[in-house]
């Protein structure tokens, strides 16, 4: 027989039908011309009934059933191999294993295939080698939609389909009166005995049925089986003969907030969903050590076991991170956010909790106040004037005119925003917006109108009773407006369902992190020579101290000899020793001066090293904070799904351009009371051939009545 493995790694990736045909040609079972004839028959029949290429090849006497079995076996092995290669890529990407470990596992898979002609899953090999845990393996299998497949991935290939399709009520033994039904999840099996020969069925027959279907777990007691066999039950009565252990699903972690998180976002909601812009909500005030938020930890699920004895894995629960900023911190158990000072609790659009002190400005921000930079909540009774900059946690103002506003939280404007540049991690609320550039991670809520503005947000753009003119708006959660466009204004352009602002935010954070890393490398480049010089001084000081110690010992020795010679009246030798003592004293004095200079230089270098290390520590803390902020933004963006739709209660004017995640529409004529929504992908996978032969998304913009 042809060796199947010789061809597995060299086959091109193709759908199951063509793969089966290519295998048949490679093994010289058929010619290319015969494959073309079989495909033509398949195309002619496919519209009317479900037909498989393998079935046609056998029916047309191009191959034998035995040859088809060979092809199906190789096809299964190849497809399983491809899934395991992708498994390995995911394991490397998630840092569960190294590329060398994956390559070694694939080699072991090849060895086992040659030995027993069966593909063993690479995940099982990695678990057996203690490289992956069972949870890690199951997490990747779940992502590949393979978690419930058997250990050999022995699925029927799509090129032919099941040769003997097994139904829910397949006959389980040669005895026609015994029928065993197994649920799709393999957690329940029921037995039904019918026909005239019911009394002839024995306990051994039932055991053989169970063994044939590989049912080994959760089988009822023999006494119950015997009672069922002995009963004169109606023909349609069944026995629940085996039951598995149902898995307990995991519980994701959640966060409960202990302060009102709504009033600072979009004002007060009235009946019917309208927004009362006059009612701004009341501030929540907290004191030091107040609990602001509490995390309820995730609870792991409990794996089950099916009636074949296989473990039913459960996914890992989803965790959430407690994020906090200025004025807030974590409790000792890391499960609560605690206020570190008295103030106003706030939460950003990405879920970062902070406590802000409050700055009250009774007039305008302008010539008298200058630029305002305050780590807290800023309340401006008047207007933020042209050319001034305001930075802080959150802001309430009467009006903003051609100013620069940068906040980490919400911005509420009683009047309008005119010609301003605004960046915030929170939400923006205003009566109207004219000629402004706004970037926000949250929502933009406007009472009257948006004109000639550029808005890029991670939430929704909401004008329940207002209109939008001559503006470009990118909103991840869509747009709601009364009217869009007019006969006289420039056309509007919308990008919906995607978060361009988050991409920019992440890019900015990465840039800031790279800058800090550059600073770190520059400081380390300064630090290393200083440390080397410091170490060299240590050696010099050590050598100098040892030499001085030896000189001091020699001084004491000479002094003792002089004392002994004085008793013996040996004046000549004593004079020589006196001269030696004078030389030693001179050398020691010189060494002491040099040692003092070395110590001074060492102190200077130590000060420089300490200063650089302090700077490195500060930069390291900044990098950690930036990485934490980026992780928070990514986590929030992943949780918050896009809404690719535009809702217009009044008139949607012609010329409006709307771009979704994968589709685009330019409105050709005025429409009234419509929803423009991106639909798809359809059940067939959402792909179709484009005009140039490339695959293009089948998603499209659909316009529906409101």
């Amino acid at each position: 027989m042809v060796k199947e493995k010789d061809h597995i790694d060299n086959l091109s990736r193709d759908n199951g039908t063509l793969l089966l045909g290519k295998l048949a040609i490679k093994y010289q079972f058929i010619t290319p011309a015969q494959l073309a004839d079989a495909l033509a028959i398949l195309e002619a029949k496919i519209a009317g009934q479900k037909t498989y290429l393998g079935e046609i090849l056998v029916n047309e006497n191009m191959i034998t059933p035995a040859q088809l079995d060979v092809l199906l076996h190789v096809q299964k092995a190849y497809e399983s191999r491809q899934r395991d290669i992708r498994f390995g890529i995911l394991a490397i990407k998630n840092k569960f294993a190294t590329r060398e470990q994956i390559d070694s596992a694939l080699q072991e898979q090849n060895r086992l295939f040659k030995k027993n002609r069966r593909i063993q899953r690479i995940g099982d090999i990695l678990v057996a080698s203690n490289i992956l845990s069972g949870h890690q393996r199951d997490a990747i299998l779940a992502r590949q939609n393979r978690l419930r497949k058997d250990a050999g991935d022995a699925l029927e290939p799509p090129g032919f389909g099941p040769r003997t399709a097994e139904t829910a009520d397949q006959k389980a033994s040669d005895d026609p009166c015994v029928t065993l039904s197994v649920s799709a999840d393999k957690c329940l099996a029921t037995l039904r005995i019918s026909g005239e020969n019911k009394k002839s069925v024995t306990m051994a027959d039932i055991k053989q049925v169970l063994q044939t279907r590989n049912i080994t777990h959760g089988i009822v007691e023999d006494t119950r089986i015997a009672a069922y066999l002995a009963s004169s039950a109606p023909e349609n009565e069944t026995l629940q003969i085996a039951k598995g252990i149902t898995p307990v699903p995991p519980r994701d972690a959640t966060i409960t907030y202990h302060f009102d998180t709504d009033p600072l976002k979009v004002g007060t909601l009235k009946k019917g969903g309208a927004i009362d812009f006059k009612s701004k909500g009341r501030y929540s005030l907290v004191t030091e050590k107040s609990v602001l938020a509490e995390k309820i930890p995730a609870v792991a699920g409990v794996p089950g076991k099916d009636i074949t004895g296989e473990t039913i894995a459960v996914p890992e629960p989803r965790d959430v991170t407690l994020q906090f900023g200025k004025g807030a911190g974590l409790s000792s158990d890391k499960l609560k956010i605690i206020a570190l000072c008295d103030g106003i609790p706030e939460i950003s659009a990405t879920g970062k909790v902070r406590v802000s002190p409050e700055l009250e400005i009774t007039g305008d921000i302008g010539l008298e106040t200058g630029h305002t930079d305050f780590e807290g909540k800023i309340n401006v009774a008047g207007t933020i004037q042209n050319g001034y900059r305001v930075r802080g946690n959150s802001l309430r103002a009467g009006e903003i005119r051609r100013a620069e506003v940068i906040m980490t939280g919400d911005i509420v404007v009683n009047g309008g925003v005119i010609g301003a540049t605004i960046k915030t991690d929170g939400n923006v609320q205003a009566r109207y917006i004219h000629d402004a550039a706004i970037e926000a991670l949250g929502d933009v809520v406007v009472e009257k109108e948006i004109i000639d503005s550029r808005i890029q947000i991670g939430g929704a753009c909401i004008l329940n009773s207002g209109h939008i003119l001559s503006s470009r708006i990118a909103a991840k959660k869509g747009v709601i407006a009364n009217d869009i466009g007019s006969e006289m204004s420039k056309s509007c352009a919308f990008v919906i369902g995607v978060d361009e602002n988050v991409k920019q935010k992440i890019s900015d954070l990465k840039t800031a992190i790279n800058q800090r890393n550059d600073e770190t490398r520059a400081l380390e480049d300064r630090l290393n020579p200083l440390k080397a010089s410091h170490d060299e001084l240590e050696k010099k000081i050590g050598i100098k101290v040892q030499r001085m110690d030896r000189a001091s010992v020699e001084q004491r020795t000479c002094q003792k000899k002089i004392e002994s010679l004085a008793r013996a009246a040996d004046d000549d030798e004593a004079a020589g020793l006196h001269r030696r003592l004078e030389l030693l004293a001179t050398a020691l004095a010189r060494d002491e001066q040099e040692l003092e200079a070395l110590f001074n230089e060492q102190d200077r270098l130590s000060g420089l090293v300490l200063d650089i290390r302090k700077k490195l520590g500060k930069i390291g803390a900044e990098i950690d904070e930036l990485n934490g902020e980026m992780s928070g933004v990514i986590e929030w963006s992943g949780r918050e799904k896009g809404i690719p739709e535009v809702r217009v209660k009044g008139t949607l004017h012609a010329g409006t351009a709307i771009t979704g995640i994968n589709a685009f529409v330019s409105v050709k004529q005025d429409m009234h009371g419509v929803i423009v929504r991106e639909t798809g992908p359809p059940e067939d996978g959402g792909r179709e051939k484009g005009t140039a032969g490339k695959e293009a998304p089948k998603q499209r913009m659909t316009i529906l009545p409101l």
Side-chain angles (χ1 to χ4, degrees):
M1 181 179 289
V2 181
K3 291 185 178 180
E4 300 92 337
K5 178 64 184 67
D6 293 343
H7 299 289
I8 286 178
D9 291 332
N10 296 321
L11 291 173
S12 63
R13 295 183 64 184
D14 210 335
N15 64 53
T17 297
L18 291 183
L19 176 58
L20 188 78
K22 286 187 176 184
L23 286 170
I25 292 174
K26 283 182 178 289
Y27 292 164
Q28 298 181 356
F29 292 164
I30 62 173
T31 65
Q34 286 176 311
L35 175 59
D37 292 341
L39 290 174
I41 296 171
L42 178 64
E43 290 176 2
K45 289 186 175 183
I46 201 164
Q49 57 182 347
K50 190 67 173 175
T51 309
Y52 300 99
L53 178 62
E55 188 178 5
I56 292 172
L57 293 173
V58 172
N59 292 341
E60 296 295 321
N61 296 319
M62 296 181 184
I63 63 174
T64 66
Q67 289 173 326
L68 178 59
D69 287 338
V70 171
L71 295 177
L72 292 175
H73 182 64
V74 178
Q75 184 183 29
K76 284 188 230 179
Y78 168 72
E79 290 169 344
S80 179
R81 173 77 167 179
Q82 293 305 305
R83 287 191 292 267
D84 275 352
I85 289 173
R86 291 192 289 274
F87 181 102
I89 292 172
L90 289 172
I92 295 170
K93 188 175 292 186
N94 285 277
K95 298 182 180 178
F96 293 164
T98 65
R99 184 173 296 279
E100 291 74 18
Q101 290 170 328
I102 295 300
D103 290 342
S104 176
L106 289 171
Q107 292 172 4
E108 175 65 9
Q109 188 184 62
N110 284 340
R111 186 188 70 79
L112 294 173
F113 179 81
K114 291 176 181 177
K115 180 179 179 182
N116 54 32
R117 315 308 294 170
R118 179 177 175 81
I119 291 286
Q120 183 174 347
R121 286 194 310 203
I122 186 177
D124 296 336
I125 294 173
L126 292 167
V127 170
S129 303
N130 294 320
I131 295 171
L132 260 62
S133 68
H135 286 308
Q136 290 171 329
R137 174 198 61 195
D138 293 344
I140 298 177
L141 290 175
R143 184 168 177 182
Q144 290 185 297
N145 295 321
R146 298 173 62 195
L147 195 57
R148 303 301 300 275
K149 298 179 183 179
D150 63 31
D153 280 344
L155 300 179
E156 293 298 340
F160 176 72
R163 297 213 45 213
T164 54
E166 181 179 48
T167 66
D169 291 327
Q170 181 188 13
K171 296 296 181 184
S173 74
D174 292 336
D175 191 332
C177 71
V178 178
T179 303
L180 187 67
S181 300
V182 178
S183 63
D185 61 1
K186 294 185 181 180
C187 276
L188 185 66
T190 55
L191 182 73
R192 180 166 57 87
I193 302 176
S194 59
E196 297 178 356
N197 298 324
K198 180 178 180 181
K199 297 296 183 182
S200 65
V201 179
T202 66
M203 181 71 72
D205 293 331
I206 302 301
K207 297 290 186 180
Q208 180 62 40
V209 169
L210 296 173
Q211 183 179 354
T212 301
R213 298 291 293 278
N214 195 30
I215 296 174
T216 59
H217 176 75
I219 301 171
V220 299
E221 301 88 350
D222 288 353
T223 53
R224 288 190 58 188
I225 299 174
Y228 176 73
L229 293 175
S231 70
S232 56
E235 185 172 313
N236 61 353
E237 185 170 324
T238 61
L239 170 68
Q240 182 179 296
I241 196 166
K243 185 178 181 181
I245 300 173
T246 303
V248 178
R251 189 179 69 198
D252 294 340
T254 58
I255 298 175
T256 300
Y257 297 98
H258 297 295
F259 63 95
D260 192 354
T261 61
D262 287 334
L264 296 181
K265 290 190 175 180
V266 294
T268 303
L269 285 175
K270 297 192 296 185
K271 223 178 227 189
I275 299 170
D276 184 357
F277 283 85
K278 295 179 181 178
S279 176
K280 303 299 182 184
R282 301 179 111 188
Y283 291 144
S284 300
L285 296 174
V286 297
T287 56
E288 185 180 354
K289 298 183 180 179
S290 297
V291 177
L292 305 175
E294 187 170 1
K295 175 179 175 179
I296 301 173
V299 178
V302 180
K305 185 176 285 190
D306 66 25
I307 56 178
T308 67
E310 288 289 326
T311 299
I312 304 173
V314 293
E316 292 288 340
R318 181 177 296 176
D319 198 12
V320 293
T321 305
L322 285 174
Q323 300 180 61
F324 59 93
K326 299 287 184 181
L330 285 181
S331 59
S332 57
D333 61 6
K334 310 296 184 185
L335 294 177
K336 299 180 183 69
I337 297 178
I338 307 296
L340 301 182
C341 61
D342 297 350
I344 301 167
E346 298 177 322
I347 182 170
S348 71
T350 59
K352 181 180 286 188
V353 175
R354 60 183 170 267
V355 178
S356 299
E358 193 170 1
L359 173 64
E360 291 282 353
I361 297 176
T362 57
D364 297 341
I365 288 182
L367 190 60
E368 291 185 2
T369 63
H371 298 308
T372 301
D373 195 338
F374 179 70
E375 288 190 357
K377 181 168 185 60
I378 304 170
N379 292 317
V380 182
T383 299
I384 302 176
Q385 299 284 3
N386 296 6
Y388 287 89
R389 184 186 66 248
V390 181
R391 295 175 184 265
N393 289 354
S394 60
L395 171 70
R396 287 191 182 225
E399 193 173 59
I400 303 176
R401 288 181 172 272
R402 302 198 178 281
E404 181 184 12
V405 176
I406 301 174
M407 294 287 147
T408 56
D410 297 323
I411 298 171
V412 178
V413 186
N414 296 332
V417 176
I418 304 171
T421 299
I422 293 176
K423 292 185 179 181
T424 179
D425 291 348
N427 307 277
V428 178
Q429 175 184 312
R431 187 172 295 278
Y432 57 87
I433 297 174
H434 291 176
D435 191 29
I438 297 176
E439 294 179 15
L441 292 183
D443 301 329
V444 167
V445 182
V446 180
E447 182 180 7
K448 291 180 63 178
E449 60 194 20
I450 297 175
I451 301 176
D452 292 325
S453 295
R454 298 160 305 286
I455 297 174
Q456 192 170 294
I457 54 178
C461 183
I462 303 172
L463 295 86
N464 276 317
S465 59
H467 58 264
I468 303 174
L469 301 175
S470 306
S471 297
R472 184 190 185 278
I473 298 175
K476 181 178 181 179
K477 293 191 175 181
V479 177
I480 300 173
N482 193 61
D483 295 296
I484 292 178
S486 72
E487 295 179 358
M488 304 299 294
S489 66
K490 294 180 182 178
S491 299
C492 293
F494 299 97
V495 178
I496 51 175
V498 293
D499 199 336
E500 294 184 343
N501 197 40
V502 164
K503 292 179 184 178
Q504 185 60 49
K505 178 74 174 178
I506 292 172
S507 176
D508 291 344
L509 288 169
K510 286 181 177 178
T511 299
I513 291 170
N514 289 335
Q515 289 174 347
R516 301 301 190 282
N517 285 330
D518 290 342
E519 292 173 17
T520 298
R521 284 189 287 270
L523 287 171
E524 287 175 345
D525 289 342
R526 288 177 54 198
L527 179 63
N528 292 332
L530 290 174
K531 289 169 63 178
S533 299
H534 189 276
D535 293 342
E536 187 64 29
L537 279 175
E538 286 279 2
K539 292 179 183 178
K540 289 181 179 180
I541 289 171
I543 293 171
K544 184 70 69 176
V545 168
Q546 289 176 5
R547 190 167 72 181
M548 293 174 68
D549 285 343
R550 288 195 297 269
S552 297
V553 170
E554 189 177 353
Q555 272 185 323
R556 290 193 295 273
T557 302
C558 288
Q559 190 65 45
K560 288 179 180 179
K561 284 184 179 180
I562 289 171
E563 292 173 358
S564 63
L565 288 172
R567 289 191 293 271
D570 190 343
D571 295 337
D572 291 339
E573 187 175 355
L577 290 171
H578 278 295
R579 286 194 298 273
R580 179 60 182 163
L581 280 175
E582 290 175 359
L583 291 173
L584 288 172
T586 301
L588 276 171
R590 184 178 64 252
D591 285 343
E592 285 178 355
Q593 289 180 349
E594 291 177 358
L595 184 63
E596 180 69 20
L598 289 174
F599 279 135
N600 290 337
E601 179 64 11
Q602 187 184 45
D603 289 342
R604 186 184 74 83
L605 292 177
S606 295
L608 292 174
V609 169
L610 181 61
D611 182 57
I612 290 175
R613 283 179 172 161
K614 285 181 179 179
K615 291 179 180 177
L616 286 172
K618 181 181 178 182
I619 293 173
E622 291 175 355
I623 290 174
D624 289 342
E625 185 175 351
L626 289 168
N627 278 318
E629 186 175 355
M630 185 164 66
S631 297
V633 170
I634 292 171
E635 180 182 320
W636 165 80
S637 182
R639 288 197 312 266
E640 300 293 325
K641 302 302 180 185
I643 302 175
E645 69 176 30
V646 175
R647 291 175 172 262
V648 184
K649 300 176 182 178
T651 302
L652 174 62
H653 284 268
T656 303
I658 302 174
T659 303
I661 301 170
N662 288 301
F664 168 81
V665 66
S666 179
V667 178
K668 302 301 183 185
Q669 60 185 13
D670 292 356
M671 298 182 180
H672 304 277
V674 294
I675 302 175
V676 183
R677 177 184 297 150
E678 185 176 66
T679 57
E683 293 180 358
D684 64 1
R687 313 297 294 182
E688 65 178 354
K689 292 291 182 180
T691 55
K694 297 181 179 180
E695 288 194 344
K698 237 181 184 179
Q699 291 167 297
R700 60 192 180 87
M701 286 294 182
T702 303
I703 301 177
L704 304 170
L706 189 62

